[in-house]
Amino acid sequence: MNGSDADGGNAREGGTRNGGARGGSGGSAGTGGAGHAGEPAVGDPVIRPAVEEGGGVPAAAAVSLNGADRADRPDRVSSVLVAVGPGPHSGATVDVAREIAAATDAWLELFHVVPSDAALADAGPDEDASGTVVDAGDADDTDYAAAGERLLDAAEDRLGGFDRADRWLVEDRTAAGAIVEQSAYYDLVVVGAPTTGTVGRFVFGSTTDTVIGDAEVPVVVVEADGSRALDPA
């Protein structure tokens, strides 16, 4: 699987990955899984049809494909990097990524970025550099890794019975930089639409524009139908 092989060159300091269930054909709980009608013939482009199919999930209001010409193998998608964050589009983003993976028999990497010490040092006094939901009643709660794991737990729960998925928590100065750097090891990147305000800005906001412009593979941007944020327990 692109992006998850031990020798794929994408292991970063500060990142941890928990492997998902492997083996067998996974499916989407929402659509009955793989085995879609009208499957393309070998050599036919698959990315755009898969994105169109993913855009049909109820939670998504709009899904756009950017940089389709960056695909080295337009007839194949074997791995998808999903940016997981606390923004209002995060649940819909996971839903769309799941459907794309189901349509292409691809693996998903649920990818969450927590701020490095340098990122926290750079943040202003009124800024939230974490991009992670922490308990508003505990101003001293800076265990971003633990909060990030809760978000990844929520993303895994959102996948339902889909079993071709891994998760990865990585520490970096910016979410955009981490996503762009890792994009080379995947066939597709899925991110949420830009958000306003401080909460979620580390993962979304200007991050989305940067990923669209700088990623080495096509980028799918997902906008939710209302607030569809993941609900970390």
Coordinates of all heavy atoms in Angstrom, one line a residue, residues 17-68:
R17 N 1.6 5.4 14.1 CA 0.6 4.8 13.3 C 0.1 3.5 14.0 O 0.9 2.7 14.5 CB 1.1 4.5 11.9 CG 0.1 3.8 11.0 CD 0.7 3.3 9.7 NE 1.0 4.4 8.8 CZ 2.2 4.8 8.5 NH1 3.2 4.2 9.1 NH2 2.4 5.8 7.7
N18 N -1.2 3.4 14.0 CA -1.8 2.1 14.4 C -2.4 1.4 13.2 O -3.3 2.0 12.5 CB -3.0 2.4 15.4 CG -2.4 3.0 16.7 OD1 -1.3 2.7 17.1 ND2 -3.1 4.0 17.2
G19 N -2.0 0.2 12.9 CA -2.5 -0.5 11.7 C -3.9 -0.9 11.8 O -4.4 -1.3 12.9
G20 N -4.7 -0.8 10.7 CA -6.0 -1.2 10.7 C -6.1 -2.7 10.4 O -5.1 -3.3 10.1
A21 N -7.3 -3.3 10.3 CA -7.4 -4.7 10.0 C -7.1 -4.9 8.5 O -7.5 -4.2 7.7 CB -8.9 -5.1 10.3
R22 N -6.2 -5.9 8.3 CA -5.8 -6.1 6.9 C -6.3 -7.5 6.5 O -6.6 -8.3 7.2 CB -4.2 -6.1 6.8 CG -3.7 -4.7 7.1 CD -2.1 -4.8 7.0 NE -1.6 -3.5 7.3 CZ -1.3 -2.6 6.4 NH1 -1.6 -2.8 5.1 NH2 -0.7 -1.4 6.7
G23 N -6.3 -7.6 5.2 CA -6.7 -8.9 4.6 C -8.1 -8.9 4.3 O -9.0 -8.3 5.0
G24 N -8.5 -9.5 3.1 CA -9.9 -9.5 2.7 C -10.3 -8.2 2.1 O -9.6 -7.2 2.2
S25 N -11.5 -8.2 1.5 CA -12.0 -7.0 0.9 C -12.8 -6.2 1.8 O -13.9 -6.7 2.3 CB -12.8 -7.3 -0.4 OG -11.9 -7.9 -1.3
G26 N -12.5 -5.0 2.1 CA -13.3 -4.1 3.0 C -14.4 -3.5 2.2 O -14.3 -3.4 1.0
G27 N -15.4 -3.0 2.9 CA -16.5 -2.4 2.2 C -17.0 -1.2 3.0 O -16.7 -1.1 4.2
S28 N -17.8 -0.4 2.4 CA -18.4 0.8 3.0 C -19.7 0.3 3.7 O -20.5 -0.3 3.0 CB -18.6 1.9 2.0 OG -19.5 2.8 2.6
A29 N -19.8 0.7 4.9 CA -21.0 0.3 5.6 C -22.3 1.0 5.1 O -23.4 0.5 5.1 CB -20.9 0.6 7.1
G30 N -22.0 2.2 4.5 CA -23.1 3.0 4.0 C -23.6 2.6 2.7 O -24.8 2.9 2.3
T31 N -22.8 1.9 1.9 CA -23.2 1.6 0.5 C -23.2 0.1 0.2 O -23.4 -0.3 -1.0 CB -22.4 2.4 -0.5 OG1 -21.0 1.9 -0.4 CG2 -22.4 3.8 -0.3
G32 N -22.8 -0.7 1.1 CA -22.7 -2.1 0.8 C -21.3 -2.5 0.3 O -21.1 -3.7 0.0
G33 N -20.3 -1.6 0.4 CA -18.9 -1.9 0.1 C -18.6 -2.0 -1.3 O -19.2 -1.4 -2.2
A34 N -17.5 -2.7 -1.6 CA -16.9 -2.7 -3.0 C -17.8 -3.6 -3.8 O -18.7 -4.2 -3.4 CB -15.5 -3.2 -2.9
G35 N -17.5 -3.6 -5.1 CA -18.3 -4.4 -6.0 C -19.3 -3.5 -6.7 O -20.5 -3.8 -6.7
H36 N -18.9 -2.3 -7.2 CA -19.8 -1.4 -7.8 C -20.1 -1.7 -9.2 O -19.3 -2.2 -9.9 CB -19.2 0.0 -7.7 CG -19.0 0.5 -6.3 ND1 -19.8 1.3 -5.6 CD2 -18.0 0.2 -5.4 CE1 -19.4 1.5 -4.4 NE2 -18.3 0.9 -4.2
A37 N -21.3 -1.4 -9.6 CA -21.7 -1.6 -11.0 C -21.0 -0.7 -11.9 O -20.6 0.4 -11.5 CB -23.3 -1.4 -11.1
G38 N -20.8 -1.1 -13.1 CA -20.2 -0.3 -14.1 C -18.7 0.0 -13.8 O -18.2 1.1 -14.1
E39 N -18.0 -1.0 -13.3 CA -16.6 -0.8 -13.0 C -15.8 -0.5 -14.3 O -16.1 -1.1 -15.3 CB -16.0 -2.0 -12.3 CG -16.6 -2.2 -10.9 CD -16.0 -3.4 -10.2 OE1 -15.2 -4.2 -10.9 OE2 -16.3 -3.6 -9.0
P40 N -14.8 0.4 -14.3 CA -14.1 0.8 -15.5 C -13.2 -0.4 -16.0 O -12.8 -1.2 -15.2 CB -13.3 2.0 -15.1 CG -13.1 1.8 -13.6 CD -14.4 1.2 -13.1
A41 N -13.0 -0.4 -17.3 CA -12.1 -1.4 -17.8 C -10.6 -1.0 -17.5 O -10.4 0.2 -17.2 CB -12.2 -1.4 -19.3
V42 N -9.7 -1.9 -17.6 CA -8.3 -1.6 -17.3 C -7.8 -0.5 -18.2 O -8.1 -0.6 -19.4 CB -7.5 -2.9 -17.5 CG1 -6.0 -2.6 -17.3 CG2 -7.9 -4.0 -16.5
G43 N -7.2 0.5 -17.7 CA -6.7 1.6 -18.5 C -7.6 2.8 -18.5 O -7.2 3.9 -18.8
D44 N -8.9 2.6 -18.1 CA -9.8 3.8 -18.0 C -9.5 4.6 -16.8 O -9.1 4.1 -15.7 CB -11.2 3.3 -17.9 CG -11.8 2.7 -19.2 OD1 -11.1 2.9 -20.2 OD2 -12.8 2.1 -19.2
P45 N -9.6 5.9 -16.9 CA -9.5 6.8 -15.7 C -10.5 6.4 -14.6 O -11.6 6.1 -15.0 CB -9.7 8.2 -16.3 CG -9.5 8.1 -17.7 CD -9.9 6.7 -18.1
V46 N -10.1 6.4 -13.4 CA -11.0 6.0 -12.3 C -11.2 7.1 -11.3 O -12.1 7.1 -10.5 CB -10.5 4.7 -11.6 CG1 -10.4 3.6 -12.6 CG2 -9.2 5.0 -10.9
I47 N -10.3 8.1 -11.2 CA -10.3 9.1 -10.1 C -11.6 9.9 -10.2 O -12.3 10.0 -9.2 CB -9.0 10.0 -10.2 CG1 -7.8 9.1 -9.9 CG2 -9.2 11.1 -9.1 CD1 -6.5 9.9 -9.9
R48 N -11.9 10.5 -11.3 CA -13.0 11.4 -11.4 C -14.3 10.6 -11.1 O -15.2 11.1 -10.3 CB -13.1 12.1 -12.7 CG -14.1 13.3 -12.7 CD -14.0 14.1 -14.0 NE -12.6 14.7 -14.2 CZ -12.2 15.8 -13.6 NH1 -13.1 16.5 -12.8 NH2 -11.0 16.3 -13.8
P49 N -14.5 9.5 -11.7 CA -15.8 8.7 -11.4 C -15.9 8.4 -9.9 O -17.0 8.4 -9.4 CB -15.7 7.5 -12.3 CG -14.8 7.9 -13.4 CD -13.8 8.8 -12.9
A50 N -14.7 8.0 -9.3 CA -14.8 7.7 -7.9 C -15.1 8.9 -7.0 O -15.8 8.8 -6.0 CB -13.4 7.1 -7.5
V51 N -14.6 10.1 -7.4 CA -14.9 11.3 -6.7 C -16.3 11.6 -6.8 O -17.0 12.1 -5.9 CB -14.0 12.4 -7.1 CG1 -14.4 13.8 -6.5 CG2 -12.5 12.1 -6.8
E52 N -16.9 11.5 -8.0 CA -18.3 11.7 -8.2 C -19.2 10.8 -7.4 O -20.2 11.2 -6.8 CB -18.6 11.6 -9.7 CG -18.0 12.7 -10.6 CD -18.2 12.4 -12.1 OE1 -18.8 11.4 -12.4 OE2 -17.9 13.3 -12.9
E53 N -18.7 9.6 -7.3 CA -19.5 8.6 -6.4 C -19.4 9.0 -5.0 O -20.4 9.0 -4.2 CB -19.0 7.2 -6.6 CG -19.8 6.2 -5.9 CD -19.5 4.8 -6.4 OE1 -19.1 4.6 -7.6 OE2 -19.9 3.8 -5.7
G54 N -18.2 9.4 -4.5 CA -18.0 9.8 -3.2 C -18.8 11.1 -2.8 O -19.3 11.2 -1.7
G55 N -19.0 11.9 -3.8 CA -19.8 13.1 -3.5 C -21.3 12.9 -3.3 O -22.0 13.8 -2.9
G56 N -21.7 11.6 -3.5 CA -23.1 11.3 -3.3 C -23.5 11.0 -1.8 O -24.7 10.8 -1.5
V57 N -22.5 11.1 -0.9 CA -22.9 10.8 0.5 C -23.8 11.9 1.1 O -23.6 13.0 0.7 CB -21.6 10.6 1.4 CG1 -20.7 9.5 0.8 CG2 -20.8 11.9 1.4
P58 N -24.7 11.5 1.9 CA -25.7 12.6 2.4 C -25.0 13.7 3.1 O -25.5 14.9 3.1 CB -26.5 11.8 3.4 CG -26.4 10.3 2.9 CD -25.1 10.2 2.4
A59 N -23.9 13.5 3.8 CA -23.2 14.6 4.6 C -22.5 15.6 3.7 O -22.3 16.7 4.2 CB -22.2 14.0 5.6
A60 N -22.3 15.3 2.5 CA -21.5 16.2 1.7 C -22.4 17.2 0.9 O -23.3 16.8 0.2 CB -20.6 15.4 0.7
A61 N -22.1 18.5 0.9 CA -22.8 19.5 0.2 C -22.1 19.7 -1.2 O -22.7 20.0 -2.2 CB -22.9 20.8 0.9
A62 N -20.8 19.6 -1.2 CA -20.0 19.8 -2.4 C -18.7 19.1 -2.3 O -18.0 19.1 -1.2 CB -19.7 21.3 -2.6
V63 N -18.3 18.5 -3.4 CA -17.0 17.8 -3.5 C -16.3 18.2 -4.8 O -16.9 18.1 -5.9 CB -17.2 16.3 -3.5 CG1 -15.8 15.6 -3.6 CG2 -17.9 15.8 -2.2
S64 N -15.1 18.7 -4.7 CA -14.3 19.1 -5.9 C -13.0 18.4 -6.0 O -12.4 18.1 -5.0 CB -14.1 20.6 -5.8 OG -13.2 21.0 -4.7
L65 N -12.7 18.1 -7.3 CA -11.4 17.4 -7.6 C -10.4 18.5 -8.1 O -10.8 19.2 -9.1 CB -11.6 16.3 -8.6 CG -10.4 15.6 -9.1 CD1 -9.6 14.9 -8.0 CD2 -10.8 14.6 -10.2
N66 N -9.3 18.6 -7.5 CA -8.3 19.6 -7.9 C -7.0 18.9 -8.4 O -6.6 17.9 -7.7 CB -8.0 20.5 -6.8 CG -9.2 21.2 -6.3 OD1 -9.6 22.3 -6.7 ND2 -9.9 20.6 -5.3
G67 N -6.4 19.4 -9.4 CA -5.1 18.8 -9.9 C -5.2 17.4 -10.4 O -4.3 16.6 -10.2
A68 N -6.2 17.1 -11.1 CA -6.4 15.7 -11.7 C -5.2 15.4 -12.6 O -4.9 14.2 -12.7 CB -7.7 15.6 -12.4

